Amino acid sequence: KQEVTQIPAALSVPEGENLVLNCSFTDSAIYNLQWFRQDPGKGLTSLLLIQSSQREQTSGRLNASLDKSSGRSTLYIAASQPGDSATYLCAVRGAGSYQLTFGKGTKLSVIP
Amino acid sequence: EAQVTQNPRYLITVTGKKLTVTCSQNMNHEYMSWYRQDPGLGLRQIYYSMNVEVTDKGDVPEGYKVSRKEKRNFPLILESPSPNQTSLYFCASSLAGRYEQYFGPGTRLTVT
Protein backbone atom coordinates (compact mmCIF):
# COMPACT_ATOMS: atom_id res chain seq x y z
CA LYS A 1 0.00 0.00 0.00
CA GLN A 2 1.31 3.43 -0.98
CA GLU A 3 2.45 5.66 1.85
CA VAL A 4 3.26 9.34 1.42
CA THR A 5 5.39 11.23 3.94
CA GLN A 6 6.02 14.95 4.18
CA ILE A 7 8.84 16.30 6.28
CA PRO A 8 8.93 18.63 8.12
CA ALA A 9 5.40 18.83 9.50
CA ALA A 10 5.85 22.55 10.10
CA LEU A 11 8.29 25.15 8.87
CA SER A 12 8.77 28.80 9.74
CA VAL A 13 10.92 31.09 7.59
CA PRO A 14 11.51 34.83 7.28
CA GLU A 15 10.04 36.62 4.30
CA GLY A 16 12.22 36.55 1.20
CA GLU A 17 13.86 33.20 1.83
CA ASN A 18 13.89 30.41 -0.72
CA LEU A 19 12.63 27.13 0.71
CA VAL A 20 12.12 23.47 -0.15
CA LEU A 21 9.30 21.20 0.95
CA ASN A 22 9.81 17.46 0.76
CA CYS A 23 7.52 14.59 -0.17
CA SER A 24 8.46 10.91 -0.28
CA PHE A 25 6.44 7.90 -1.37
CA THR A 26 7.01 4.18 -0.90
CA ASP A 27 5.82 2.76 -4.24
CA SER A 28 7.55 4.21 -7.28
CA ALA A 29 4.88 2.86 -9.67
CA ILE A 30 2.98 6.12 -9.89
CA TYR A 31 0.90 7.81 -12.56
CA ASN A 32 1.41 11.35 -11.34
CA LEU A 33 2.10 13.51 -8.28
CA GLN A 34 0.24 16.67 -7.40
CA TRP A 35 1.08 19.49 -5.01
CA PHE A 36 -1.74 21.37 -3.29
CA ARG A 37 -2.09 24.35 -1.02
CA GLN A 38 -4.68 24.46 1.75
CA ASP A 39 -5.54 27.60 3.68
CA PRO A 40 -7.14 27.25 7.12
CA GLY A 41 -10.77 26.16 6.88
CA LYS A 42 -10.62 26.15 3.11
CA GLY A 43 -10.47 23.64 0.29
CA LEU A 44 -7.41 22.52 -1.61
CA THR A 45 -5.94 24.50 -4.46
CA SER A 46 -3.90 22.64 -7.05
CA LEU A 47 -0.43 24.12 -7.50
CA LEU A 48 1.44 21.76 -9.79
CA LEU A 49 0.87 18.38 -11.38
CA ILE A 50 3.82 16.24 -12.49
CA GLN A 51 3.21 13.25 -14.70
CA SER A 52 5.38 10.19 -14.05
CA SER A 53 7.32 10.80 -17.26
CA GLN A 54 8.26 14.35 -16.24
CA ARG A 55 11.11 15.54 -14.04
CA GLU A 56 9.77 18.94 -13.06
CA GLN A 57 7.06 21.54 -13.45
CA THR A 58 7.20 25.28 -12.87
CA SER A 59 4.59 27.88 -12.15
CA GLY A 60 5.70 31.37 -11.22
CA ARG A 61 7.80 31.18 -8.03
CA LEU A 62 7.04 27.49 -7.62
CA ASN A 63 9.05 24.59 -8.99
CA ALA A 64 8.24 20.96 -8.32
CA SER A 65 10.60 18.12 -9.10
CA LEU A 66 10.01 14.40 -9.26
CA ASP A 67 12.49 11.55 -8.87
CA LYS A 68 10.30 8.53 -9.32
CA SER A 69 13.02 5.93 -8.86
CA SER A 70 13.95 7.24 -5.43
CA GLY A 71 10.36 7.99 -4.45
CA ARG A 72 10.87 11.69 -3.86
CA SER A 73 9.42 15.02 -4.87
CA THR A 74 10.32 18.53 -3.79
CA LEU A 75 8.43 21.80 -3.98
CA TYR A 76 10.72 24.80 -4.24
CA ILE A 77 9.29 28.22 -3.35
CA ALA A 78 11.40 31.19 -4.34
CA ALA A 79 11.40 34.51 -2.52
CA SER A 80 8.76 33.49 0.00
CA GLN A 81 6.02 35.96 0.98
CA PRO A 82 3.64 36.08 3.96
CA GLY A 83 0.83 35.17 1.56
CA ASP A 84 2.55 31.82 1.00
CA SER A 85 1.67 30.82 4.55
CA ALA A 86 -0.54 27.73 4.29
CA THR A 87 -0.38 23.95 4.52
CA TYR A 88 1.17 22.27 1.50
CA LEU A 89 0.08 18.77 0.60
CA CYS A 90 1.45 16.31 -1.90
CA ALA A 91 -0.64 13.49 -3.33
CA VAL A 92 0.31 10.51 -5.43
CA ARG A 93 -1.80 8.57 -7.91
CA GLY A 94 -0.65 4.99 -8.36
CA ALA A 95 -0.10 3.58 -11.82
CA GLY A 96 -3.24 1.85 -13.04
CA SER A 97 -5.18 3.22 -10.07
CA TYR A 98 -7.86 5.83 -9.61
CA GLN A 99 -6.92 6.30 -5.97
CA LEU A 100 -5.04 9.30 -4.66
CA THR A 101 -2.88 8.98 -1.55
CA PHE A 102 -2.07 12.15 0.38
CA GLY A 103 0.73 13.09 2.71
CA LYS A 104 -0.20 14.82 5.96
CA GLY A 105 1.20 18.12 4.80
CA THR A 106 3.77 20.72 5.78
CA LYS A 107 2.45 23.81 7.53
CA LEU A 108 4.44 26.79 6.28
CA SER A 109 4.62 30.11 8.07
CA VAL A 110 6.39 33.01 6.37
CA ILE A 111 7.23 35.71 8.89
CA PRO A 112 7.18 39.34 7.67
CA GLU B 1 -16.60 29.91 -13.56
CA ALA B 2 -15.23 26.37 -13.42
CA GLN B 3 -15.86 24.98 -9.97
CA VAL B 4 -16.84 22.17 -7.66
CA THR B 5 -19.64 23.04 -5.27
CA GLN B 6 -20.71 21.28 -2.10
CA ASN B 7 -23.80 21.68 0.03
CA PRO B 8 -24.25 22.17 2.85
CA ARG B 9 -20.99 23.78 3.95
CA TYR B 10 -21.72 23.17 7.62
CA LEU B 11 -23.98 20.55 9.16
CA ILE B 12 -24.68 19.50 12.72
CA THR B 13 -26.82 16.40 13.10
CA VAL B 14 -27.63 13.61 15.53
CA THR B 15 -26.63 9.96 15.49
CA GLY B 16 -28.71 7.87 13.11
CA LYS B 17 -30.39 10.64 11.15
CA LYS B 18 -29.78 10.02 7.44
CA LEU B 19 -28.12 12.83 5.55
CA THR B 20 -26.85 13.63 2.08
CA VAL B 21 -24.02 15.96 1.12
CA THR B 22 -24.28 17.08 -2.47
CA CYS B 23 -21.39 17.66 -4.86
CA SER B 24 -21.62 19.18 -8.31
CA GLN B 25 -19.05 20.15 -10.93
CA ASN B 26 -19.47 22.20 -14.09
CA MET B 27 -16.31 21.12 -15.92
CA ASN B 28 -17.68 17.97 -17.59
CA HIS B 29 -15.20 15.87 -15.61
CA GLU B 30 -15.49 12.12 -15.76
CA TYR B 31 -13.80 11.41 -12.45
CA MET B 32 -15.20 12.44 -9.08
CA SER B 33 -14.18 11.53 -5.58
CA TRP B 34 -14.97 12.06 -1.88
CA TYR B 35 -12.41 12.52 0.87
CA ARG B 36 -12.50 13.10 4.58
CA GLN B 37 -9.89 15.08 6.45
CA ASP B 38 -9.14 14.47 10.10
CA PRO B 39 -6.43 15.95 12.35
CA GLY B 40 -3.38 13.72 12.43
CA LEU B 41 -4.77 11.41 9.74
CA GLY B 42 -4.74 13.70 6.74
CA LEU B 43 -6.97 13.27 3.72
CA ARG B 44 -8.38 9.82 3.07
CA GLN B 45 -10.40 8.73 0.09
CA ILE B 46 -13.92 7.45 0.78
CA TYR B 47 -15.33 6.63 -2.66
CA TYR B 48 -14.60 7.55 -6.23
CA SER B 49 -16.38 7.38 -9.56
CA MET B 50 -14.78 6.95 -12.95
CA ASN B 51 -17.94 7.89 -14.83
CA VAL B 52 -21.73 7.71 -14.68
CA GLU B 53 -22.90 4.56 -12.90
CA VAL B 54 -19.29 3.50 -12.16
CA THR B 55 -18.14 3.81 -8.55
CA ASP B 56 -15.60 2.11 -6.33
CA LYS B 57 -14.45 2.11 -2.72
CA GLY B 58 -11.54 4.14 -1.48
CA ASP B 59 -9.64 3.59 1.74
CA VAL B 60 -12.44 4.34 4.23
CA PRO B 61 -15.83 3.49 2.68
CA GLU B 62 -17.53 2.02 5.76
CA GLY B 63 -20.69 3.90 6.72
CA TYR B 64 -20.95 5.79 3.43
CA LYS B 65 -22.82 5.36 0.16
CA VAL B 66 -22.50 7.17 -3.14
CA SER B 67 -24.30 7.28 -6.46
CA ARG B 68 -23.42 8.71 -9.86
CA LYS B 69 -26.56 9.00 -11.93
CA GLU B 70 -25.47 12.16 -13.73
CA LYS B 71 -22.01 13.19 -14.82
CA ARG B 72 -22.03 16.47 -12.91
CA ASN B 73 -23.31 15.18 -9.54
CA PHE B 74 -21.82 12.83 -6.98
CA PRO B 75 -23.72 12.87 -3.67
CA LEU B 76 -22.35 11.34 -0.47
CA ILE B 77 -24.94 9.57 1.67
CA LEU B 78 -24.65 8.71 5.34
CA GLU B 79 -27.51 6.31 6.07
CA SER B 80 -26.96 6.23 9.83
CA PRO B 81 -24.33 8.77 10.87
CA SER B 82 -22.22 8.12 13.95
CA PRO B 83 -19.96 10.47 15.96
CA ASN B 84 -16.84 8.96 14.37
CA GLN B 85 -18.00 10.40 11.06
CA THR B 86 -17.54 13.91 12.40
CA SER B 87 -15.03 15.32 9.94
CA LEU B 88 -14.29 17.76 7.14
CA TYR B 89 -15.43 16.34 3.82
CA PHE B 90 -14.15 17.28 0.38
CA CYS B 91 -15.45 16.46 -3.05
CA ALA B 92 -13.06 16.56 -6.01
CA SER B 93 -13.24 16.08 -9.76
CA SER B 94 -10.81 15.65 -12.63
CA LEU B 95 -10.66 15.08 -16.34
CA ALA B 96 -9.88 11.48 -17.24
CA GLY B 97 -6.37 11.09 -18.58
CA ARG B 98 -4.86 14.08 -16.84
CA TYR B 99 -6.27 13.52 -13.37
CA GLU B 100 -5.45 16.96 -12.01
CA GLN B 101 -7.89 17.16 -9.13
CA TYR B 102 -10.08 20.17 -8.42
CA PHE B 103 -11.53 20.37 -4.93
CA GLY B 104 -14.73 21.77 -3.54
CA PRO B 105 -14.74 24.13 -0.52
CA GLY B 106 -15.48 21.40 2.00
CA THR B 107 -18.37 20.41 4.27
CA ARG B 108 -17.81 20.41 7.99
CA LEU B 109 -19.99 17.70 9.53
CA THR B 110 -20.58 17.24 13.23
CA VAL B 111 -22.51 14.20 14.46
CA THR B 112 -23.60 14.33 18.11
mmCIF file of all heavy atoms in Angstrom, chain A residues 71-94:
data_model
loop_
_atom_site.group_PDB
_atom_site.id
_atom_site.type_symbol
_atom_site.label_atom_id
_atom_site.label_comp_id
_atom_site.label_asym_id
_atom_site.label_seq_id
_atom_site.Cartn_x
_atom_site.Cartn_y
_atom_site.Cartn_z
ATOM 1 N N GLY A 71 11.589 7.739 -5.210
ATOM 2 C CA GLY A 71 10.364 7.985 -4.450
ATOM 3 C C GLY A 71 10.337 9.341 -3.772
ATOM 4 O O GLY A 71 9.888 9.448 -2.624
ATOM 5 N N ARG A 72 10.810 10.375 -4.479
ATOM 6 C CA ARG A 72 10.875 11.690 -3.861
ATOM 7 C C ARG A 72 10.381 12.789 -4.800
ATOM 8 O O ARG A 72 10.574 12.731 -6.011
ATOM 9 C CB ARG A 72 12.318 12.021 -3.473
ATOM 10 C CG ARG A 72 12.888 11.147 -2.393
ATOM 11 C CD ARG A 72 14.349 11.526 -2.131
ATOM 12 N NE ARG A 72 14.984 10.575 -1.235
ATOM 13 C CZ ARG A 72 14.941 10.655 0.091
ATOM 14 N NH1 ARG A 72 14.304 11.654 0.664
ATOM 15 N NH2 ARG A 72 15.543 9.752 0.832
ATOM 16 N N SER A 73 9.787 13.804 -4.168
ATOM 17 C CA SER A 73 9.423 15.024 -4.874
ATOM 18 C C SER A 73 9.735 16.200 -3.960
ATOM 19 O O SER A 73 9.663 16.082 -2.725
ATOM 20 C CB SER A 73 7.944 15.033 -5.243
ATOM 21 O OG SER A 73 7.579 16.254 -5.853
ATOM 22 N N THR A 74 10.108 17.311 -4.561
ATOM 23 C CA THR A 74 10.320 18.529 -3.789
ATOM 24 C C THR A 74 9.526 19.667 -4.403
ATOM 25 O O THR A 74 9.316 19.712 -5.622
ATOM 26 C CB THR A 74 11.809 18.934 -3.739
ATOM 27 O OG1 THR A 74 12.256 19.195 -5.069
ATOM 28 C CG2 THR A 74 12.661 17.856 -3.108
ATOM 29 N N LEU A 75 9.083 20.559 -3.548
ATOM 30 C CA LEU A 75 8.431 21.796 -3.984
ATOM 31 C C LEU A 75 9.319 22.941 -3.536
ATOM 32 O O LEU A 75 9.529 23.141 -2.333
ATOM 33 C CB LEU A 75 7.037 21.930 -3.394
ATOM 34 C CG LEU A 75 6.284 23.210 -3.779
ATOM 35 C CD1 LEU A 75 5.974 23.220 -5.281
ATOM 36 C CD2 LEU A 75 4.991 23.364 -2.979
ATOM 37 N N TYR A 76 9.840 23.671 -4.493
ATOM 38 C CA TYR A 76 10.722 24.803 -4.238
ATOM 39 C C TYR A 76 9.897 26.083 -4.364
ATOM 40 O O TYR A 76 9.214 26.285 -5.376
ATOM 41 C CB TYR A 76 11.875 24.789 -5.243
ATOM 42 C CG TYR A 76 12.791 25.973 -5.189
ATOM 43 C CD1 TYR A 76 13.837 26.042 -4.266
ATOM 44 C CD2 TYR A 76 12.651 27.025 -6.091
ATOM 45 C CE1 TYR A 76 14.690 27.126 -4.228
ATOM 46 C CE2 TYR A 76 13.502 28.111 -6.052
ATOM 47 C CZ TYR A 76 14.526 28.164 -5.131
ATOM 48 O OH TYR A 76 15.380 29.245 -5.098
ATOM 49 N N ILE A 77 9.975 26.920 -3.328
ATOM 50 C CA ILE A 77 9.291 28.215 -3.349
ATOM 51 C C ILE A 77 10.364 29.294 -3.283
ATOM 52 O O ILE A 77 11.139 29.362 -2.315
ATOM 53 C CB ILE A 77 8.299 28.359 -2.182
ATOM 54 C CG1 ILE A 77 7.262 27.233 -2.212
ATOM 55 C CG2 ILE A 77 7.613 29.724 -2.235
ATOM 56 C CD1 ILE A 77 6.277 27.250 -1.045
ATOM 57 N N ALA A 78 10.411 30.115 -4.295
ATOM 58 C CA ALA A 78 11.404 31.190 -4.344
ATOM 59 C C ALA A 78 10.855 32.467 -3.720
ATOM 60 O O ALA A 78 9.669 32.763 -3.827
ATOM 61 C CB ALA A 78 11.802 31.459 -5.790
ATOM 62 N N ALA A 79 11.728 33.190 -3.069
ATOM 63 C CA ALA A 79 11.402 34.514 -2.524
ATOM 64 C C ALA A 79 10.071 34.484 -1.776
ATOM 65 O O ALA A 79 9.113 35.163 -2.157
ATOM 66 C CB ALA A 79 11.377 35.555 -3.639
ATOM 67 N N SER A 80 10.027 33.717 -0.713
ATOM 68 C CA SER A 80 8.765 33.491 0.001
ATOM 69 C C SER A 80 8.138 34.801 0.498
ATOM 70 O O SER A 80 8.828 35.782 0.819
ATOM 71 C CB SER A 80 8.992 32.550 1.179
ATOM 72 O OG SER A 80 9.953 33.077 2.064
ATOM 73 N N GLN A 81 6.801 34.792 0.552
ATOM 74 C CA GLN A 81 6.016 35.956 0.977
ATOM 75 C C GLN A 81 5.050 35.516 2.079
ATOM 76 O O GLN A 81 4.668 34.345 2.140
ATOM 77 C CB GLN A 81 5.219 36.499 -0.218
ATOM 78 C CG GLN A 81 6.062 36.868 -1.408
ATOM 79 C CD GLN A 81 5.220 37.175 -2.636
ATOM 80 O OE1 GLN A 81 4.001 37.067 -2.623
ATOM 81 N NE2 GLN A 81 5.888 37.569 -3.709
ATOM 82 N N PRO A 82 4.607 36.443 2.915
ATOM 83 C CA PRO A 82 3.641 36.077 3.962
ATOM 84 C C PRO A 82 2.387 35.407 3.402
ATOM 85 O O PRO A 82 1.805 34.530 4.044
ATOM 86 C CB PRO A 82 3.326 37.425 4.624
ATOM 87 C CG PRO A 82 4.576 38.225 4.434
ATOM 88 C CD PRO A 82 5.107 37.819 3.094
ATOM 89 N N GLY A 83 1.994 35.784 2.194
ATOM 90 C CA GLY A 83 0.828 35.166 1.561
ATOM 91 C C GLY A 83 1.033 33.713 1.178
ATOM 92 O O GLY A 83 0.071 33.026 0.839
ATOM 93 N N ASP A 84 2.272 33.231 1.259
ATOM 94 C CA ASP A 84 2.546 31.818 0.995
ATOM 95 C C ASP A 84 2.246 30.950 2.206
ATOM 96 O O ASP A 84 2.275 29.724 2.124
ATOM 97 C CB ASP A 84 4.017 31.625 0.598
ATOM 98 C CG ASP A 84 4.371 32.286 -0.721
ATOM 99 O OD1 ASP A 84 3.482 32.394 -1.586
ATOM 100 O OD2 ASP A 84 5.542 32.708 -0.882
ATOM 101 N N SER A 85 1.959 31.570 3.330
ATOM 102 C CA SER A 85 1.667 30.817 4.555
ATOM 103 C C SER A 85 0.407 29.975 4.352
ATOM 104 O O SER A 85 -0.662 30.505 4.038
ATOM 105 C CB SER A 85 1.480 31.772 5.737
ATOM 106 O OG SER A 85 2.657 32.491 5.995
ATOM 107 N N ALA A 86 0.555 28.687 4.526
ATOM 108 C CA ALA A 86 -0.535 27.732 4.287
ATOM 109 C C ALA A 86 0.019 26.340 4.583
ATOM 110 O O ALA A 86 1.196 26.178 4.893
ATOM 111 C CB ALA A 86 -1.028 27.799 2.852
ATOM 112 N N THR A 87 -0.841 25.339 4.458
ATOM 113 C CA THR A 87 -0.383 23.953 4.523
ATOM 114 C C THR A 87 -0.248 23.430 3.105
ATOM 115 O O THR A 87 -1.149 23.608 2.279
ATOM 116 C CB THR A 87 -1.368 23.086 5.326
ATOM 117 O OG1 THR A 87 -1.405 23.551 6.673
ATOM 118 C CG2 THR A 87 -0.940 21.629 5.308
ATOM 119 N N TYR A 88 0.890 22.802 2.827
ATOM 120 C CA TYR A 88 1.173 22.268 1.501
ATOM 121 C C TYR A 88 1.105 20.743 1.553
ATOM 122 O O TYR A 88 1.741 20.108 2.400
ATOM 123 C CB TYR A 88 2.548 22.745 1.020
ATOM 124 C CG TYR A 88 2.544 24.225 0.724
ATOM 125 C CD1 TYR A 88 2.663 25.153 1.758
ATOM 126 C CD2 TYR A 88 2.376 24.705 -0.571
ATOM 127 C CE1 TYR A 88 2.623 26.514 1.504
ATOM 128 C CE2 TYR A 88 2.342 26.064 -0.837
ATOM 129 C CZ TYR A 88 2.458 26.959 0.210
ATOM 130 O OH TYR A 88 2.409 28.307 -0.047
ATOM 131 N N LEU A 89 0.319 20.201 0.634
ATOM 132 C CA LEU A 89 0.080 18.765 0.598
ATOM 133 C C LEU A 89 0.574 18.192 -0.720
ATOM 134 O O LEU A 89 0.401 18.817 -1.771
ATOM 135 C CB LEU A 89 -1.413 18.473 0.730
ATOM 136 C CG LEU A 89 -2.088 18.914 2.032
ATOM 137 C CD1 LEU A 89 -3.581 19.068 1.832
ATOM 138 C CD2 LEU A 89 -1.804 17.923 3.127
ATOM 139 N N CYS A 90 1.164 17.016 -0.659
ATOM 140 C CA CYS A 90 1.448 16.305 -1.904
ATOM 141 C C CYS A 90 0.586 15.053 -1.948
ATOM 142 O O CYS A 90 0.220 14.492 -0.900
ATOM 143 C CB CYS A 90 2.920 15.980 -2.072
ATOM 144 S SG CYS A 90 3.559 14.669 -1.028
ATOM 145 N N ALA A 91 0.232 14.649 -3.143
ATOM 146 C CA ALA A 91 -0.635 13.488 -3.327
ATOM 147 C C ALA A 91 -0.143 12.700 -4.531
ATOM 148 O O ALA A 91 0.238 13.277 -5.550
ATOM 149 C CB ALA A 91 -2.080 13.926 -3.532
ATOM 150 N N VAL A 92 -0.207 11.399 -4.412
ATOM 151 C CA VAL A 92 0.307 10.507 -5.430
ATOM 152 C C VAL A 92 -0.806 9.627 -5.971
ATOM 153 O O VAL A 92 -1.598 9.080 -5.194
ATOM 154 C CB VAL A 92 1.429 9.618 -4.838
ATOM 155 C CG1 VAL A 92 1.823 8.539 -5.817
ATOM 156 C CG2 VAL A 92 2.633 10.463 -4.461
ATOM 157 N N ARG A 93 -0.872 9.525 -7.284
ATOM 158 C CA ARG A 93 -1.801 8.569 -7.907
ATOM 159 C C ARG A 93 -0.988 7.385 -8.398
ATOM 160 O O ARG A 93 -0.036 7.554 -9.169
ATOM 161 C CB ARG A 93 -2.537 9.188 -9.082
ATOM 162 C CG ARG A 93 -3.505 8.208 -9.747
ATOM 163 C CD ARG A 93 -4.222 8.842 -10.910
ATOM 164 N NE ARG A 93 -4.979 10.007 -10.507
ATOM 165 C CZ ARG A 93 -6.141 9.957 -9.869
ATOM 166 N NH1 ARG A 93 -6.669 8.799 -9.580
ATOM 167 N NH2 ARG A 93 -6.762 11.073 -9.539
ATOM 168 N N GLY A 94 -1.372 6.186 -7.952
ATOM 169 C CA GLY A 94 -0.651 4.990 -8.357
ATOM 170 C C GLY A 94 -0.910 4.636 -9.808
ATOM 171 O O GLY A 94 -1.985 4.911 -10.338
#
